[in-house]
Short mmCIF file of all heavy atoms in Angstrom, two decimals:
data_model
loop_
_atom_site.label_atom_id
_atom_site.label_comp_id
_atom_site.label_asym_id
_atom_site.label_seq_id
_atom_site.Cartn_x
_atom_site.Cartn_y
_atom_site.Cartn_z
N VAL A 129 31.61 74.03 -26.38
CA VAL A 129 32.37 72.88 -26.90
C VAL A 129 31.99 71.48 -26.25
O VAL A 129 31.47 71.48 -25.10
CB VAL A 129 33.87 73.16 -26.35
CG1 VAL A 129 34.82 72.05 -26.55
CG2 VAL A 129 34.42 74.41 -27.07
N ASP A 130 32.08 70.42 -27.06
CA ASP A 130 31.54 69.14 -26.66
C ASP A 130 32.74 68.33 -26.09
O ASP A 130 33.79 68.36 -26.62
CB ASP A 130 31.01 68.37 -27.73
CG ASP A 130 29.70 68.83 -28.41
OD1 ASP A 130 29.18 69.79 -27.67
OD2 ASP A 130 29.36 68.58 -29.48
N LEU A 131 32.46 67.65 -24.98
CA LEU A 131 33.43 66.67 -24.50
C LEU A 131 33.19 65.39 -25.12
O LEU A 131 32.08 64.86 -25.03
CB LEU A 131 33.34 66.54 -22.87
CG LEU A 131 34.14 65.43 -22.23
CD1 LEU A 131 35.60 65.78 -22.36
CD2 LEU A 131 33.77 65.07 -20.82
N ILE A 132 34.13 64.90 -25.97
CA ILE A 132 33.85 63.68 -26.80
C ILE A 132 34.68 62.49 -26.35
O ILE A 132 34.62 61.54 -27.08
CB ILE A 132 34.04 64.02 -28.14
CG1 ILE A 132 35.45 64.54 -28.33
CG2 ILE A 132 33.00 65.06 -28.80
CD1 ILE A 132 36.03 64.39 -29.89
N GLY A 133 35.45 62.44 -25.25
CA GLY A 133 36.08 61.31 -24.92
C GLY A 133 37.41 61.64 -24.08
O GLY A 133 37.54 62.77 -23.72
N GLY A 134 38.20 60.71 -23.83
CA GLY A 134 39.32 60.78 -23.06
C GLY A 134 39.78 59.56 -22.49
O GLY A 134 39.50 58.39 -23.08
N ASP A 135 40.67 59.60 -21.47
CA ASP A 135 41.18 58.25 -20.90
C ASP A 135 41.36 58.47 -19.37
O ASP A 135 41.56 59.73 -19.03
CB ASP A 135 42.53 57.86 -21.51
CG ASP A 135 42.74 56.41 -21.36
OD1 ASP A 135 41.82 55.60 -21.11
OD2 ASP A 135 43.90 55.95 -21.54
N THR A 136 41.20 57.54 -18.60
CA THR A 136 41.34 57.59 -17.23
C THR A 136 42.27 56.50 -16.63
O THR A 136 42.11 55.38 -16.88
CB THR A 136 39.84 57.49 -16.48
OG1 THR A 136 39.01 58.34 -17.22
CG2 THR A 136 40.00 57.65 -15.10
N THR A 137 43.20 57.00 -15.87
CA THR A 137 44.06 56.01 -15.30
C THR A 137 44.70 56.40 -13.91
O THR A 137 44.45 57.52 -13.51
CB THR A 137 45.31 55.63 -16.30
OG1 THR A 137 46.03 54.53 -15.78
CG2 THR A 137 46.20 56.79 -16.54
N SER A 138 45.53 55.65 -13.29
CA SER A 138 45.97 56.04 -11.93
C SER A 138 47.44 56.46 -12.15
O SER A 138 48.15 56.16 -13.09
CB SER A 138 45.86 54.84 -11.04
OG SER A 138 46.43 53.69 -11.67
N SER A 139 47.86 57.27 -11.13
CA SER A 139 49.35 57.67 -11.11
C SER A 139 49.86 57.42 -9.67
O SER A 139 49.02 57.28 -8.81
CB SER A 139 49.53 59.09 -11.47
OG SER A 139 49.28 59.99 -10.38
N LEU A 140 51.17 57.42 -9.68
CA LEU A 140 51.69 57.04 -8.31
C LEU A 140 51.64 58.19 -7.29
O LEU A 140 51.39 57.95 -6.03
CB LEU A 140 53.25 56.57 -8.41
CG LEU A 140 53.43 55.19 -9.03
CD1 LEU A 140 54.98 54.98 -9.16
CD2 LEU A 140 52.69 54.19 -8.21
N THR A 141 51.70 59.39 -7.73
CA THR A 141 51.74 60.52 -6.98
C THR A 141 50.75 61.57 -7.24
O THR A 141 49.60 61.64 -6.69
CB THR A 141 53.16 61.22 -6.77
OG1 THR A 141 53.65 61.41 -7.90
CG2 THR A 141 54.06 60.18 -5.91
N GLY A 142 51.03 62.38 -8.19
CA GLY A 142 50.18 63.55 -8.47
C GLY A 142 49.16 63.28 -9.50
O GLY A 142 48.60 62.30 -9.75
N LEU A 143 48.56 64.51 -9.87
CA LEU A 143 47.57 64.61 -10.90
C LEU A 143 48.08 65.05 -12.18
O LEU A 143 48.90 65.95 -12.30
CB LEU A 143 46.43 65.54 -10.37
CG LEU A 143 45.37 65.82 -11.26
CD1 LEU A 143 44.31 64.70 -11.35
CD2 LEU A 143 44.43 67.07 -10.62
N LEU A 144 47.64 64.31 -13.21
CA LEU A 144 48.04 64.79 -14.60
C LEU A 144 46.71 64.94 -15.35
O LEU A 144 45.78 64.20 -15.33
CB LEU A 144 48.97 63.84 -15.31
CG LEU A 144 50.27 63.47 -14.88
CD1 LEU A 144 50.38 62.56 -13.70
CD2 LEU A 144 51.11 63.17 -16.02
N ILE A 145 46.82 66.03 -16.26
CA ILE A 145 45.54 66.23 -17.02
C ILE A 145 46.11 66.52 -18.44
O ILE A 145 46.92 67.44 -18.76
CB ILE A 145 44.80 67.53 -16.68
CG1 ILE A 145 44.53 67.40 -15.21
CG2 ILE A 145 43.46 67.59 -17.47
CD1 ILE A 145 44.11 68.71 -14.60
N SER A 146 45.68 65.75 -19.37
CA SER A 146 45.94 66.07 -20.83
C SER A 146 44.61 66.44 -21.64
O SER A 146 43.60 65.63 -21.49
CB SER A 146 46.71 64.95 -21.45
OG SER A 146 46.83 65.25 -22.89
N ILE A 147 44.52 67.55 -22.23
CA ILE A 147 43.43 67.92 -22.91
C ILE A 147 43.77 68.19 -24.42
O ILE A 147 44.84 68.77 -24.65
CB ILE A 147 42.70 69.26 -22.42
CG1 ILE A 147 42.21 69.02 -20.93
CG2 ILE A 147 41.57 69.71 -23.28
CD1 ILE A 147 41.38 70.07 -20.39
N THR A 148 42.98 67.61 -25.27
CA THR A 148 43.16 67.83 -26.71
C THR A 148 41.95 68.68 -27.28
O THR A 148 40.81 68.29 -26.83
CB THR A 148 43.19 66.55 -27.53
OG1 THR A 148 44.44 65.93 -27.16
CG2 THR A 148 43.26 66.80 -29.01
N ALA A 149 42.24 69.77 -27.76
CA ALA A 149 41.09 70.64 -28.25
C ALA A 149 41.02 70.46 -29.87
O ALA A 149 42.05 70.27 -30.46
CB ALA A 149 41.35 72.03 -27.93
N ILE A 150 39.81 70.44 -30.34
CA ILE A 150 39.53 70.25 -31.73
C ILE A 150 38.67 71.44 -32.15
O ILE A 150 37.87 71.94 -31.49
CB ILE A 150 38.83 68.99 -32.10
CG1 ILE A 150 39.68 67.83 -31.53
CG2 ILE A 150 38.43 68.83 -33.56
CD1 ILE A 150 39.01 66.51 -31.29
N GLY A 151 38.98 71.94 -33.40
CA GLY A 151 38.30 73.10 -33.90
C GLY A 151 38.09 73.03 -35.47
O GLY A 151 38.55 72.05 -36.01
N GLU A 152 37.37 74.05 -35.95
CA GLU A 152 37.07 74.02 -37.38
C GLU A 152 37.23 75.49 -37.87
O GLU A 152 36.99 76.38 -37.19
CB GLU A 152 35.75 73.50 -37.71
CG GLU A 152 34.57 74.17 -37.01
CD GLU A 152 33.23 73.73 -37.44
OE1 GLU A 152 33.01 72.53 -37.53
OE2 GLU A 152 32.29 74.60 -37.60
N ALA A 153 37.65 75.48 -39.18
CA ALA A 153 37.75 76.75 -39.80
C ALA A 153 37.72 76.59 -41.37
O ALA A 153 38.22 75.41 -41.81
CB ALA A 153 39.00 77.43 -39.39
N SER A 154 37.35 77.50 -42.05
CA SER A 154 37.47 77.32 -43.59
C SER A 154 38.90 77.69 -43.86
O SER A 154 39.56 78.53 -43.12
CB SER A 154 36.52 78.21 -44.28
OG SER A 154 36.54 79.49 -43.82
N GLU A 155 39.42 76.97 -44.89
CA GLU A 155 40.79 76.99 -45.17
C GLU A 155 41.32 78.39 -45.25
O GLU A 155 42.42 78.78 -44.69
CB GLU A 155 41.14 76.30 -46.46
CG GLU A 155 42.61 76.06 -46.72
CD GLU A 155 42.83 75.06 -47.79
OE1 GLU A 155 41.84 74.79 -48.53
OE2 GLU A 155 44.06 74.73 -48.06
N GLU A 156 40.71 79.41 -45.92
CA GLU A 156 41.18 80.65 -46.09
C GLU A 156 41.27 81.55 -44.75
O GLU A 156 41.85 82.58 -44.78
CB GLU A 156 40.35 81.40 -47.30
CG GLU A 156 38.83 81.77 -47.02
CD GLU A 156 37.94 80.49 -47.22
OE1 GLU A 156 38.47 79.36 -47.40
OE2 GLU A 156 36.79 80.74 -47.03
N LYS A 157 40.42 81.19 -43.74
CA LYS A 157 40.50 81.95 -42.46
C LYS A 157 41.56 81.58 -41.55
O LYS A 157 41.85 82.27 -40.68
CB LYS A 157 39.08 81.70 -41.84
CG LYS A 157 37.87 82.34 -42.53
CD LYS A 157 37.66 83.67 -41.88
CE LYS A 157 36.61 84.46 -42.68
NZ LYS A 157 35.24 84.23 -42.37
N ILE A 158 42.21 80.37 -41.80
CA ILE A 158 43.17 79.78 -40.74
C ILE A 158 44.47 80.82 -40.80
O ILE A 158 44.94 81.17 -41.69
CB ILE A 158 43.67 78.47 -41.02
CG1 ILE A 158 42.36 77.53 -41.05
CG2 ILE A 158 44.74 77.93 -40.11
CD1 ILE A 158 42.81 76.01 -41.56
N THR A 159 44.82 81.30 -39.57
CA THR A 159 45.99 82.22 -39.50
C THR A 159 47.22 81.35 -38.93
O THR A 159 47.10 80.90 -37.76
CB THR A 159 45.66 83.32 -38.55
OG1 THR A 159 45.10 82.84 -37.21
CG2 THR A 159 44.61 84.28 -39.10
#
Side-chain angles (χ1 to χ4, degrees):
V129 168
D130 296 343
L131 175 68
I132 54 156
D135 202 19
T136 308
T137 189
S138 50
S139 89
L140 286 180
T141 51
L143 177 67
L144 289 90
I145 309 163
S146 175
I147 298 189
T148 297
I150 300 161
E152 60 178 33
S154 50
E155 191 168 8
E156 66 279 7
K157 289 263 166 87
I158 301 174
T159 51

